[in-house]
Amino acid sequence: MVTPAPLSLIVPSEAAPDEEEDKALPGAPVALLENAFCLPSLILGAGTLSNQYNSNDHLSGFAPMRLVRLALRYGIKAFDTSIYYGPSEIVLGNALRSVKDEFPRESYQLMTKCGRFGANSFDYSPAAIRNSVLQSLHRLQTEYLDTVYLHDVEFVCTPVQAKQTGNHALALTEEKAAYGLEEGQEGIIYGEGDQKILDAFAELRKMKEEGLIRSIGITGYPVATLLRLALLIFHNPPYEPIDALLSYSHISLQNSTFAEFVPHFRQRAKVKQLVAASPFSMGLLTPSIPHWHPAPEGLRKAVTKARAEYGGDGFIDAALAYSIRRCGPEDLDVPLVVGVSTPAEVHKCVQVWRKVREKPMSADERQKEAEVLEAFSKAGFLNWSWASPDRTSGVSRL
Protein backbone atom coordinates (compact mmCIF):
# COMPACT_ATOMS: atom_id res chain seq x y z
CA MET A 1 0.00 0.00 0.00
CA VAL A 2 1.12 3.56 -0.66
CA THR A 3 1.45 6.14 2.09
CA PRO A 4 0.23 9.66 1.22
CA ALA A 5 3.05 12.16 0.78
CA PRO A 6 2.79 15.78 1.95
CA LEU A 7 1.95 17.94 -1.04
CA SER A 8 3.83 21.00 0.26
CA LEU A 9 7.19 19.25 0.10
CA ILE A 10 8.19 20.38 -3.34
CA VAL A 11 7.66 23.29 -5.74
CA PRO A 12 6.43 26.79 -4.84
CA SER A 13 2.67 27.21 -5.03
CA GLU A 14 2.82 30.26 -7.30
CA ALA A 15 4.20 30.67 -10.79
CA ALA A 16 7.60 32.26 -11.24
CA PRO A 17 7.85 35.48 -13.26
CA ASP A 18 8.61 34.94 -16.94
CA GLU A 19 12.21 34.91 -18.01
CA GLU A 20 13.34 34.95 -21.64
CA GLU A 21 13.89 31.18 -21.56
CA ASP A 22 10.29 30.65 -20.43
CA LYS A 23 8.81 31.92 -23.70
CA ALA A 24 7.91 29.55 -26.50
CA LEU A 25 9.87 30.44 -29.62
CA PRO A 26 7.82 31.53 -32.65
CA GLY A 27 6.69 28.67 -34.83
CA ALA A 28 4.13 25.90 -35.07
CA PRO A 29 2.89 24.49 -31.75
CA VAL A 30 3.25 20.78 -31.16
CA ALA A 31 0.36 19.33 -33.12
CA LEU A 32 -2.43 17.14 -31.84
CA LEU A 33 -2.55 13.78 -33.55
CA GLU A 34 -5.86 12.59 -34.92
CA ASN A 35 -5.94 9.71 -32.46
CA ALA A 36 -8.46 8.23 -30.06
CA PHE A 37 -7.39 10.42 -27.14
CA CYS A 38 -6.54 13.65 -29.02
CA LEU A 39 -3.02 13.47 -27.64
CA PRO A 40 -0.23 15.79 -28.78
CA SER A 41 2.63 14.45 -30.91
CA LEU A 42 4.93 14.82 -27.89
CA ILE A 43 4.14 13.90 -24.28
CA LEU A 44 6.32 15.17 -21.46
CA GLY A 45 7.86 12.29 -19.53
CA ALA A 46 7.78 13.40 -15.91
CA GLY A 47 10.08 10.67 -14.63
CA THR A 48 12.70 13.43 -14.71
CA LEU A 49 10.88 15.08 -11.81
CA SER A 50 12.53 12.69 -9.40
CA ASN A 51 15.84 12.06 -7.65
CA GLN A 52 16.78 9.50 -10.30
CA TYR A 53 17.50 12.42 -12.61
CA ASN A 54 17.57 15.63 -10.58
CA SER A 55 18.61 16.89 -7.14
CA ASN A 56 16.29 18.03 -4.38
CA ASP A 57 17.46 21.60 -4.98
CA HIS A 58 16.29 21.36 -8.59
CA LEU A 59 12.97 19.77 -7.64
CA SER A 60 12.19 22.15 -4.78
CA GLY A 61 12.66 25.38 -6.73
CA PHE A 62 10.84 26.95 -9.65
CA ALA A 63 12.53 24.66 -12.21
CA PRO A 64 9.71 22.05 -12.46
CA MET A 65 7.05 24.75 -12.80
CA ARG A 66 9.05 26.52 -15.52
CA LEU A 67 9.54 23.19 -17.32
CA VAL A 68 5.85 22.31 -17.21
CA ARG A 69 4.70 25.81 -18.16
CA LEU A 70 7.00 26.00 -21.17
CA ALA A 71 5.94 22.55 -22.36
CA LEU A 72 2.29 23.62 -22.18
CA ARG A 73 3.04 26.84 -24.03
CA TYR A 74 4.52 24.80 -26.84
CA GLY A 75 1.45 22.59 -27.02
CA ILE A 76 2.88 19.61 -25.13
CA LYS A 77 -0.35 19.17 -23.22
CA ALA A 78 0.02 15.67 -21.83
CA PHE A 79 2.19 14.32 -19.02
CA ASP A 80 3.34 10.78 -18.29
CA THR A 81 4.32 9.85 -14.74
CA SER A 82 4.02 7.04 -12.17
CA ILE A 83 3.63 6.56 -8.46
CA TYR A 84 6.84 4.52 -8.82
CA TYR A 85 8.84 7.59 -9.91
CA GLY A 86 9.47 8.85 -6.38
CA PRO A 87 8.19 12.41 -5.90
CA SER A 88 7.32 12.86 -9.59
CA GLU A 89 3.55 12.97 -9.12
CA ILE A 90 3.87 15.41 -6.23
CA VAL A 91 6.23 17.72 -8.11
CA LEU A 92 4.10 17.59 -11.26
CA GLY A 93 0.88 18.18 -9.33
CA ASN A 94 2.30 21.22 -7.58
CA ALA A 95 3.75 22.59 -10.82
CA LEU A 96 0.40 22.26 -12.57
CA ARG A 97 -1.39 23.88 -9.64
CA SER A 98 0.92 26.88 -9.87
CA VAL A 99 0.06 27.46 -13.55
CA LYS A 100 -3.66 26.71 -13.28
CA ASP A 101 -4.70 30.25 -14.18
CA GLU A 102 -2.91 30.00 -17.52
CA PHE A 103 -3.58 26.30 -18.04
CA PRO A 104 -6.71 24.94 -16.29
CA ARG A 105 -7.11 21.22 -15.69
CA GLU A 106 -9.17 20.58 -18.81
CA SER A 107 -6.39 21.94 -21.05
CA TYR A 108 -4.04 18.96 -20.56
CA GLN A 109 -4.03 15.20 -19.95
CA LEU A 110 -2.52 13.30 -17.03
CA MET A 111 -1.29 9.75 -17.60
CA THR A 112 0.07 7.72 -14.69
CA LYS A 113 0.74 4.11 -13.72
CA CYS A 114 0.00 1.75 -10.85
CA GLY A 115 1.04 -1.66 -9.57
CA ARG A 116 4.77 -0.98 -9.26
CA PHE A 117 5.81 0.79 -6.08
CA GLY A 118 9.55 0.20 -5.80
CA ALA A 119 12.56 -1.29 -7.53
CA ASN A 120 11.49 -4.77 -6.45
CA SER A 121 7.97 -4.04 -5.22
CA PHE A 122 4.92 -5.02 -7.27
CA ASP A 123 1.39 -5.35 -5.96
CA TYR A 124 -1.40 -5.97 -8.46
CA SER A 125 -4.03 -6.89 -5.88
CA PRO A 126 -7.28 -4.98 -6.45
CA ALA A 127 -6.96 -3.20 -3.10
CA ALA A 128 -3.43 -2.01 -3.91
CA ILE A 129 -4.46 -0.89 -7.38
CA ARG A 130 -7.36 1.14 -6.02
CA ASN A 131 -5.24 2.65 -3.26
CA SER A 132 -2.51 3.55 -5.75
CA VAL A 133 -4.94 5.36 -8.04
CA LEU A 134 -6.46 7.24 -5.11
CA GLN A 135 -2.99 8.31 -4.01
CA SER A 136 -2.16 9.45 -7.54
CA LEU A 137 -5.30 11.57 -7.58
CA HIS A 138 -4.19 13.08 -4.27
CA ARG A 139 -0.59 13.66 -5.33
CA LEU A 140 -1.53 15.11 -8.73
CA GLN A 141 -4.27 17.24 -7.11
CA THR A 142 -6.94 16.27 -9.59
CA GLU A 143 -10.42 14.78 -9.49
CA TYR A 144 -9.80 12.46 -12.42
CA LEU A 145 -6.96 10.86 -14.36
CA ASP A 146 -7.02 10.72 -18.13
CA THR A 147 -5.12 7.43 -18.36
CA VAL A 148 -3.92 4.87 -15.82
CA TYR A 149 -1.71 1.96 -16.89
CA LEU A 150 -0.72 -1.22 -15.11
CA HIS A 151 3.03 -0.60 -14.78
CA ASP A 152 5.64 -3.03 -16.16
CA VAL A 153 3.26 -5.95 -16.64
CA GLU A 154 6.04 -8.34 -17.71
CA PHE A 155 7.18 -8.67 -14.10
CA VAL A 156 3.76 -9.81 -12.88
CA CYS A 157 2.29 -11.91 -15.69
CA THR A 158 3.01 -15.60 -16.11
CA PRO A 159 6.15 -15.95 -18.25
CA VAL A 160 5.42 -17.57 -21.62
CA GLN A 161 8.10 -16.68 -24.15
CA ALA A 162 11.27 -18.70 -23.59
CA LYS A 163 13.55 -16.38 -25.55
CA GLN A 164 14.27 -13.20 -23.61
CA THR A 165 16.75 -11.44 -25.91
CA GLY A 166 16.98 -10.92 -29.66
CA ASN A 167 14.59 -9.71 -32.35
CA HIS A 168 11.11 -10.46 -31.07
CA ALA A 169 9.48 -9.75 -34.39
CA LEU A 170 9.85 -13.54 -34.57
CA ALA A 171 6.69 -13.58 -32.47
CA LEU A 172 4.82 -12.51 -35.59
CA THR A 173 6.14 -15.42 -37.67
CA GLU A 174 5.84 -19.20 -37.53
CA GLU A 175 7.38 -19.02 -34.04
CA LYS A 176 4.35 -17.18 -32.62
CA ALA A 177 3.12 -20.19 -30.66
CA ALA A 178 6.26 -20.00 -28.50
CA TYR A 179 5.19 -16.49 -27.51
CA GLY A 180 1.57 -17.43 -26.79
CA LEU A 181 0.42 -15.60 -29.92
CA GLU A 182 -0.93 -18.45 -32.04
CA GLU A 183 -4.53 -18.05 -33.14
CA GLY A 184 -6.60 -19.79 -30.47
CA GLN A 185 -4.17 -18.96 -27.64
CA GLU A 186 -5.52 -15.45 -27.03
CA GLY A 187 -7.71 -16.17 -24.00
CA ILE A 188 -5.47 -18.71 -22.27
CA ILE A 189 -4.64 -17.87 -18.66
CA TYR A 190 -1.23 -19.49 -18.27
CA GLY A 191 -0.93 -19.15 -14.51
CA GLU A 192 -1.31 -17.08 -11.38
CA GLY A 193 0.49 -14.08 -12.86
CA ASP A 194 -1.94 -13.80 -15.76
CA GLN A 195 -4.86 -13.95 -13.35
CA LYS A 196 -3.29 -11.09 -11.36
CA ILE A 197 -3.20 -9.02 -14.54
CA LEU A 198 -6.89 -9.71 -15.20
CA ASP A 199 -7.90 -8.95 -11.60
CA ALA A 200 -5.93 -5.71 -11.51
CA PHE A 201 -7.36 -4.59 -14.82
CA ALA A 202 -10.86 -5.38 -13.59
CA GLU A 203 -10.30 -3.01 -10.67
CA LEU A 204 -9.15 -0.27 -13.05
CA ARG A 205 -12.29 -0.89 -15.08
CA LYS A 206 -14.39 -0.34 -11.96
CA MET A 207 -12.65 2.95 -11.27
CA LYS A 208 -13.22 3.99 -14.86
CA GLU A 209 -16.93 3.28 -14.42
CA GLU A 210 -16.83 5.41 -11.25
CA GLY A 211 -15.49 8.35 -13.26
CA LEU A 212 -12.09 8.49 -11.55
CA ILE A 213 -10.24 7.34 -14.68
CA ARG A 214 -11.08 8.02 -18.32
CA SER A 215 -8.98 5.31 -19.97
CA ILE A 216 -7.01 2.28 -18.82
CA GLY A 217 -4.15 0.25 -20.23
CA ILE A 218 -0.83 -1.52 -19.77
CA THR A 219 2.86 -0.67 -20.13
CA GLY A 220 6.03 -2.71 -20.41
CA TYR A 221 9.22 -3.42 -22.32
CA PRO A 222 8.82 -6.73 -24.25
CA VAL A 223 6.45 -5.97 -27.13
CA ALA A 224 5.43 -9.60 -27.66
CA THR A 225 4.35 -9.84 -24.02
CA LEU A 226 2.37 -6.62 -24.36
CA LEU A 227 0.54 -8.05 -27.36
CA ARG A 228 -0.17 -11.32 -25.56
CA LEU A 229 -1.60 -9.52 -22.53
CA ALA A 230 -3.66 -7.11 -24.64
CA LEU A 231 -5.19 -10.15 -26.32
CA LEU A 232 -5.63 -11.94 -22.98
CA ILE A 233 -7.66 -9.05 -21.56
CA PHE A 234 -9.69 -8.72 -24.77
CA HIS A 235 -10.52 -12.43 -24.85
CA ASN A 236 -11.65 -12.74 -21.24
CA PRO A 237 -14.82 -11.31 -19.64
CA PRO A 238 -16.13 -8.69 -20.24
CA TYR A 239 -14.39 -9.15 -23.63
CA GLU A 240 -13.43 -5.50 -24.05
CA PRO A 241 -10.13 -4.29 -25.52
CA ILE A 242 -7.76 -2.17 -23.50
CA ASP A 243 -7.91 1.56 -24.08
CA ALA A 244 -4.18 2.33 -24.12
CA LEU A 245 -0.82 0.62 -24.42
CA LEU A 246 2.63 2.15 -23.89
CA SER A 247 5.80 0.56 -25.24
CA TYR A 248 9.23 1.97 -24.46
CA SER A 249 12.66 1.68 -26.12
CA HIS A 250 11.22 0.02 -29.23
CA ILE A 251 11.04 3.02 -31.55
CA SER A 252 14.64 4.15 -31.64
CA LEU A 253 17.59 4.21 -34.00
CA GLN A 254 18.74 0.92 -32.49
CA ASN A 255 15.41 -0.88 -32.21
CA SER A 256 12.16 -0.13 -34.05
CA THR A 257 10.43 -3.48 -33.46
CA PHE A 258 7.33 -1.73 -32.12
CA ALA A 259 6.53 -0.63 -35.67
CA GLU A 260 6.05 -4.24 -36.76
CA PHE A 261 3.63 -4.88 -33.88
CA VAL A 262 1.50 -1.75 -34.38
CA PRO A 263 -0.90 -3.33 -36.92
CA HIS A 264 -1.41 -6.31 -34.61
CA PHE A 265 -2.13 -4.11 -31.59
CA ARG A 266 -4.65 -2.15 -33.59
CA GLN A 267 -6.31 -4.80 -35.71
CA ARG A 268 -6.03 -7.97 -33.67
CA ALA A 269 -6.10 -6.65 -30.09
CA LYS A 270 -8.24 -3.58 -30.96
CA VAL A 271 -6.16 -1.30 -28.73
CA LYS A 272 -7.62 2.19 -29.04
CA GLN A 273 -4.50 4.26 -28.29
CA LEU A 274 -0.84 3.32 -28.70
CA VAL A 275 1.95 5.36 -27.11
CA ALA A 276 5.70 5.08 -27.68
CA ALA A 277 8.33 6.18 -25.17
CA SER A 278 12.05 6.50 -24.61
CA PRO A 279 13.58 7.58 -27.94
CA PHE A 280 17.00 7.37 -26.31
CA SER A 281 16.36 3.84 -24.97
CA MET A 282 16.73 4.72 -21.30
CA GLY A 283 19.91 6.65 -22.02
CA LEU A 284 21.55 4.01 -24.23
CA LEU A 285 21.84 6.45 -27.14
CA THR A 286 23.09 9.37 -25.04
CA PRO A 287 26.80 10.30 -24.70
CA SER A 288 26.95 8.81 -21.20
CA ILE A 289 25.22 5.43 -21.03
CA PRO A 290 23.93 4.95 -17.45
CA HIS A 291 25.87 2.36 -15.46
CA TRP A 292 22.63 0.54 -14.60
CA HIS A 293 21.54 0.13 -18.20
CA PRO A 294 20.72 -3.52 -19.05
CA ALA A 295 22.37 -3.40 -22.50
CA PRO A 296 25.25 -5.90 -22.78
CA GLU A 297 28.78 -4.75 -23.49
CA GLY A 298 28.54 -5.64 -27.18
CA LEU A 299 25.54 -3.35 -27.67
CA ARG A 300 27.22 -0.54 -25.75
CA LYS A 301 30.23 -0.80 -28.04
CA ALA A 302 27.96 -0.81 -31.09
CA VAL A 303 26.32 2.42 -29.88
CA THR A 304 29.70 4.05 -29.31
CA LYS A 305 30.80 3.04 -32.81
CA ALA A 306 27.56 4.24 -34.39
CA ARG A 307 27.88 7.60 -32.67
CA ALA A 308 31.46 7.94 -33.91
CA GLU A 309 30.44 7.06 -37.47
CA TYR A 310 27.66 9.65 -37.37
CA GLY A 311 30.08 12.35 -36.30
CA GLY A 312 29.35 12.63 -32.60
CA ASP A 313 27.72 15.99 -31.92
CA GLY A 314 24.55 15.52 -33.98
CA PHE A 315 23.89 11.94 -32.97
CA ILE A 316 21.52 12.70 -30.09
CA ASP A 317 19.40 15.03 -32.27
CA ALA A 318 19.39 12.42 -35.04
CA ALA A 319 18.17 9.78 -32.57
CA LEU A 320 15.33 12.02 -31.40
CA ALA A 321 14.45 13.00 -34.97
CA TYR A 322 14.29 9.34 -36.00
CA SER A 323 11.77 8.50 -33.27
CA ILE A 324 9.70 11.61 -33.93
CA ARG A 325 9.60 10.85 -37.65
CA ARG A 326 8.64 7.19 -37.14
CA CYS A 327 5.89 8.18 -34.68
CA GLY A 328 4.55 10.89 -36.99
CA PRO A 329 1.19 10.88 -38.80
CA GLU A 330 2.83 9.76 -42.05
CA ASP A 331 4.12 6.59 -40.39
CA LEU A 332 2.89 5.05 -37.12
CA ASP A 333 0.76 8.00 -35.97
CA VAL A 334 1.44 7.57 -32.25
CA PRO A 335 2.46 10.12 -29.60
CA LEU A 336 6.01 9.95 -28.26
CA VAL A 337 6.92 10.35 -24.57
CA VAL A 338 10.15 12.33 -24.17
CA GLY A 339 11.82 12.98 -20.81
CA VAL A 340 13.27 16.47 -20.34
CA SER A 341 14.50 18.30 -17.25
CA THR A 342 15.02 21.94 -18.21
CA PRO A 343 13.46 24.65 -20.37
CA ALA A 344 16.53 24.44 -22.64
CA GLU A 345 15.79 20.76 -23.27
CA VAL A 346 12.15 21.59 -24.05
CA HIS A 347 13.27 24.19 -26.59
CA LYS A 348 15.65 21.69 -28.19
CA CYS A 349 13.01 18.95 -28.33
CA VAL A 350 10.49 21.23 -30.01
CA GLN A 351 13.18 22.50 -32.37
CA VAL A 352 13.86 18.94 -33.53
CA TRP A 353 10.11 18.20 -33.80
CA ARG A 354 9.60 21.30 -35.95
CA LYS A 355 12.52 20.41 -38.19
CA VAL A 356 11.13 16.91 -38.76
CA ARG A 357 7.68 18.34 -39.46
CA GLU A 358 8.73 21.17 -41.75
CA LYS A 359 11.83 20.00 -43.60
CA PRO A 360 12.59 16.76 -45.44
CA MET A 361 15.79 14.97 -44.51
CA SER A 362 18.83 16.10 -46.45
CA ALA A 363 20.81 13.60 -48.50
CA ASP A 364 23.61 13.84 -45.94
CA GLU A 365 21.23 13.13 -43.05
CA ARG A 366 19.76 10.14 -44.87
CA GLN A 367 23.19 8.74 -45.55
CA LYS A 368 24.34 9.18 -41.96
CA GLU A 369 21.18 7.55 -40.62
CA ALA A 370 21.61 4.64 -43.02
CA GLU A 371 25.21 4.22 -41.86
CA VAL A 372 24.12 4.11 -38.22
CA LEU A 373 21.48 1.47 -38.94
CA GLU A 374 24.04 -0.53 -40.92
CA ALA A 375 26.51 -0.32 -38.02
CA PHE A 376 23.91 -1.78 -35.65
CA SER A 377 23.03 -4.45 -38.21
CA LYS A 378 26.66 -5.52 -38.73
CA ALA A 379 27.15 -5.75 -34.98
CA GLY A 380 24.07 -7.98 -34.72
CA PHE A 381 22.11 -5.50 -32.60
CA LEU A 382 19.65 -3.86 -35.00
CA ASN A 383 16.14 -4.43 -33.61
CA TRP A 384 17.70 -6.47 -30.82
CA SER A 385 15.93 -6.41 -27.45
CA TRP A 386 17.67 -7.07 -24.17
CA ALA A 387 16.04 -9.03 -21.38
CA SER A 388 13.57 -6.93 -19.40
CA PRO A 389 15.50 -4.65 -17.04
CA ASP A 390 16.08 -6.22 -13.67
CA ARG A 391 13.56 -5.20 -11.06
CA THR A 392 16.37 -3.79 -8.97
CA SER A 393 17.51 -1.31 -11.62
CA GLY A 394 15.20 1.32 -10.15
CA VAL A 395 14.95 3.52 -13.25
CA SER A 396 12.17 5.23 -15.12
CA ARG A 397 11.77 4.71 -18.82
CA LEU A 398 13.02 7.92 -20.46
Side-chain angles (χ1 to χ4, degrees):
M1 306 292 276
V2 183
T3 302
L7 298 182
S8 59
L9 269 180
I10 301 169
V11 181
S13 60
E14 297 181 357
D18 271 357
E19 299 179 16
E20 194 61 32
E21 195 178 35
D22 297 322
K23 299 175 183 177
L25 298 177
V30 172
L32 292 176
L33 293 171
E34 295 182 4
N35 51 42
F37 295 177
C38 294
L39 287 166
S41 303
L42 300 176
I43 296 172
L44 191 142
T48 56
L49 301 179
S50 70
N51 297 119
Q52 294 172 8
Y53 293 92
N54 288 291
S55 66
N56 281 330
D57 287 344
H58 178 90
L59 297 175
S60 61
F62 282 111
M65 183 281 301
R66 294 178 62 218
L67 172 75
V68 166
R69 183 175 62 185
L70 180 60
L72 287 165
R73 286 174 173 175
Y74 269 122
I76 304 174
K77 295 185 176 182
F79 302 89
D80 175 89
T81 183
S82 174
I83 203 162
Y84 168 53
Y85 301 158
S88 173
E89 289 183 327
I90 301 172
V91 177
L92 179 59
N94 281 339
L96 289 167
R97 180 186 64 183
S98 68
V99 300
K100 67 181 184 301
D101 291 341
E102 185 176 355
F103 296 101
R105 174 65 181 91
E106 62 271 16
S107 67
Y108 56 82
Q109 296 192 42
L110 288 173
M111 315 174 83
T112 193
K113 311 175 189 76
C114 63
R116 185 172 193 176
F117 304 107
N120 197 33
S121 176
F122 292 79
D123 190 343
Y124 273 41
S125 67
I129 294 300
R130 177 168 289 270
N131 186 62
S132 177
V133 172
L134 293 176
Q135 292 308 317
S136 291
L137 289 164
H138 174 69
R139 288 152 67 102
L140 288 164
Q141 303 179 57
T142 182
E143 295 181 354
Y144 67 93
L145 295 163
D146 295 279
T147 302
V148 177
Y149 303 102
L150 295 180
H151 199 171
D152 288 345
V153 289
E154 68 267 30
F155 292 114
V156 177
C157 71
T158 305
V160 172
Q161 66 184 63
K163 188 177 181 180
Q164 298 302 310
T165 63
N167 186 340
H168 293 306
L170 290 172
L172 305 175
T173 69
E174 63 277 0
E175 295 189 31
K176 57 188 174 183
Y179 289 84
L181 294 175
E182 187 84 72
E183 286 76 6
Q185 292 180 307
E186 295 91 344
I188 297 176
I189 301 170
Y190 285 93
E192 181 183 2
D194 284 359
Q195 188 60 54
K196 287 181 179 180
I197 298 290
L198 293 172
D199 293 344
F201 205 80
E203 191 64 26
L204 287 182
R205 191 176 282 115
K206 289 179 183 177
M207 301 190 81
K208 179 182 175 182
E209 292 169 353
E210 294 165 13
L212 298 175
I213 307 170
R214 295 189 171 177
S215 60
I216 53 179
I218 60 175
T219 76
Y221 176 71
V223 285
T225 298
L226 289 175
L227 178 57
R228 185 181 76 80
L229 294 178
L231 290 167
L232 176 72
I233 293 169
F234 186 24
H235 286 266
N236 277 279
Y239 304 104
E240 296 173 352
I242 66 176
D243 297 322
L245 182 147
L246 182 149
S247 166
Y248 69 92
S249 292
H250 279 95
I251 284 293
S252 75
L253 266 174
Q254 181 267 324
N255 191 338
S256 59
T257 308
F258 181 62
E260 299 188 52
F261 280 79
V262 164
H264 299 268
F265 285 128
R266 286 176 171 158
Q267 297 164 21
R268 189 178 176 193
K270 307 299 182 185
V271 179
K272 298 173 185 176
Q273 181 64 66
L274 300 174
V275 179
S278 193
F280 305 125
S281 290
M282 301 194 304
L284 175 67
L285 302 181
T286 62
S288 299
I289 302 174
H291 67 87
W292 43 256
H293 200 283
E297 186 61 27
L299 178 51
R300 290 168 180 257
K301 289 181 178 178
V303 170
T304 301
K305 183 178 180 181
R307 183 184 298 110
E309 291 188 6
Y310 191 90
D313 291 343
F315 184 78
I316 194 74
D317 286 356
L320 178 58
Y322 177 88
S323 295
I324 290 174
R325 189 168 56 254
R326 292 302 312 270
C327 289
E330 296 81 12
D331 196 343
L332 301 178
D333 197 24
V334 298
L336 176 66
V337 179
V338 181
V340 290
S341 293
T342 66
E345 292 176 356
V346 176
H347 286 302
K348 170 57 74 172
C349 186
V350 174
Q351 179 187 13
V352 173
W353 178 84
R354 285 175 173 172
K355 181 180 178 182
V356 170
R357 179 179 181 271
E358 297 167 1
K359 298 179 181 179
M361 292 179 72
S362 67
D364 181 60
E365 288 170 333
R366 288 184 184 280
Q367 180 179 346
K368 285 185 174 182
E369 182 179 286
E371 289 172 353
V372 168
L373 297 175
E374 180 64 19
F376 283 129
S377 180
K378 286 183 177 179
F381 287 108
L382 183 64
N383 294 331
W384 188 93
S385 299
W386 52 78
S388 292
D390 189 274
R391 290 185 181 187
T392 60
S393 62
V395 297
S396 64
R397 313 309 186 200
L398 300 182

